[in-house]
């Protein structure tokens, strides 16, 4: 069950990264510096979360997301 849960969490992170990247692009087009910083921070946190999961929880025998 933990393996299945990890897959779901990585899928959720991937969706959040996709949405946040779109939001970042939009804020860059609108030249909204405050929103750009916010979205970059979100992407950094998602990356840190994914790195933690990969290092501490995920099985070494399974690829959870495309790099």
């Amino acid at each position: 069950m933990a393996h299945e849960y990890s897959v779901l969490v990585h899928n959720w992170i991937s969706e959040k990264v996709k949405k946040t990247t779109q939001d970042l692009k939009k804020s860059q087009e609108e030249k909204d510096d405050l929103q750009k910083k916010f979205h970059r921070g979100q992407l950094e946190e998602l990356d840190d979360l994914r790195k933690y999961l990969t290092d501490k929880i995920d099985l070494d025998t399974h690829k959870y997301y495309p790099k």
Side-chain angles (χ1 to χ4, degrees):
M1 188 64 169
H3 173 69
E4 183 179 338
Y5 184 72
S6 290
V7 171
L8 292 173
V9 171
H10 277 289
N11 288 342
W12 179 84
I13 292 171
S14 294
E15 287 299 314
K16 291 293 287 181
V17 166
K18 182 179 175 183
K19 171 77 168 91
T20 304
T21 302
Q22 291 170 347
D23 292 343
L24 175 61
K25 184 177 178 181
K26 183 179 177 185
S27 64
Q28 288 172 334
E29 291 170 357
E30 295 174 356
K31 300 183 186 332
D32 187 342
D33 290 335
L34 187 60
Q35 286 296 309
K36 282 194 288 191
K37 288 179 185 177
F38 174 75
H39 295 308
R40 285 185 184 136
Q42 279 188 318
L43 289 171
E44 187 176 317
E45 288 177 355
L46 291 166
D47 187 53
D48 289 346
L49 178 58
R50 180 165 272 163
K51 184 173 179 359
Y52 175 81
L53 290 171
T54 300
D55 292 345
K56 305 286 185 186
I57 297 172
D58 294 346
L59 299 173
D60 293 335
T61 58
H62 183 76
K63 185 176 178 182
Y64 288 86
Y65 64 97
K67 292 185 179 185

